[in-house]
Amino acid sequence: MYALVTGASSGIGKAYATILARDYQHDLLLVSNQEQELKAVAKELSEQYGVKALPLYKNLADQNAAEELHRWCEENGIEVDILINNAGMFFWQPLVDLPPQKILTMLNLHMTTLAMLCRFFGEDMCRRRKGWILNMSSMTAWITIPGIQCYNSTKAFVYSFSKSLWYEMKPKGVTR
């Protein structure tokens, strides 16, 4: 069994991966779009804590990223019992000054990929009647601030989605 941590190359994602390796001796599948940093984190955690730490370079903002990641796990015999959706991006800019592709990238990363990872890996966990999902939101989910309208709105989605998902999946053995 593996813990899948997105955004694991730095920050909070790296901290989650470190805790899972150090305190729980859990094997890890670490995913990020920062390839060199990700490889270094995987090597460090594997050597320091004696766990398997597999780095997988992937742009999770791509439209089909969740399905591709799930299929990769199936093809490589990786069974995920912990899913930590931590990958994210942040920018501070008025909406009318943002390139449309930058908006779509954030929406895909924070909402579409997160929801679809929960869908695909959640189905596996429900079938096994065991699993754990953590979706990272932000305190900005409750704050209205000009310049971060896309960020705080997507984090509000994550918060609401995660609460609903918990009620759906708890009776099936999947919790947070």
Side-chain angles (χ1 to χ4, degrees):
M1 298 284 219
Y2 283 79
L4 167 56
V5 182
T6 68
S9 59
S10 63
I12 295 171
K14 181 180 177 184
Y16 279 128
T18 300
I19 290 167
L20 287 164
R22 181 190 66 215
D23 299 348
Y24 299 97
Q25 293 296 296
H26 214 294
D27 291 332
L28 305 167
L29 173 58
L30 308 175
V31 181
S32 174
N33 67 348
Q34 297 176 326
E35 189 170 19
Q36 297 310 313
E37 297 89 338
L38 185 66
K39 287 179 180 178
V41 169
K43 184 176 191 269
E44 173 189 329
L45 295 177
S46 183
E47 289 175 355
Q48 194 165 2
Y49 302 111
V51 299
K52 290 181 192 171
L54 307 175
L56 181 63
Y57 169 76
K58 185 151 201 57
N59 181 359
L60 292 172
D62 289 345
Q63 188 68 35
N64 297 315
E67 185 174 8
E68 291 168 1
L69 177 53
H70 185 257
R71 184 175 36 251
W72 185 91
C73 287
E74 287 180 330
E75 290 169 356
N76 289 279
I78 304 294
E79 199 168 282
V80 173
D81 65 330
I82 297 174
L83 171 61
I84 299 181
N85 279 311
N86 174 71
M89 60 186 293
F90 180 86
F91 46 81
W92 192 297
Q93 198 170 357
L95 184 69
V96 297
D97 295 338
L98 285 167
Q101 189 55 51
K102 197 169 185 178
I103 296 168
L104 291 172
T105 297
M106 181 178 277
L107 297 177
N108 280 335
L109 179 61
H110 289 186
M111 297 189 308
T112 304
T113 297
L114 178 140
M116 297 308 292
L117 285 172
C118 290
R119 162 61 179 88
F120 293 124
F121 289 103
E123 179 181 14
D124 297 341
M125 292 175 189
C126 287
R127 185 176 53 254
R128 292 190 306 264
R129 301 206 53 85
K130 182 182 178 201
W132 195 78
I133 298 174
L134 175 77
N135 296 322
M136 279 300 294
S137 184
S138 166
M139 67 181 196
T140 65
W142 299 281
I143 302 171
T144 305
I145 301 173
I148 65 165
Q149 66 301 102
C150 291
Y151 184 81
N152 66 332
S153 297
T154 60
K155 292 305 183 173
F157 167 85
V158 172
Y159 176 76
S160 181
F161 174 84
S162 299
K163 286 188 77 154
S164 296
L165 187 66
W166 181 79
Y167 284 108
E168 271 182 35
M169 292 194 166
K170 185 179 180 200
K172 297 175 182 181
V174 181
T175 190
R176 58 180 169 152

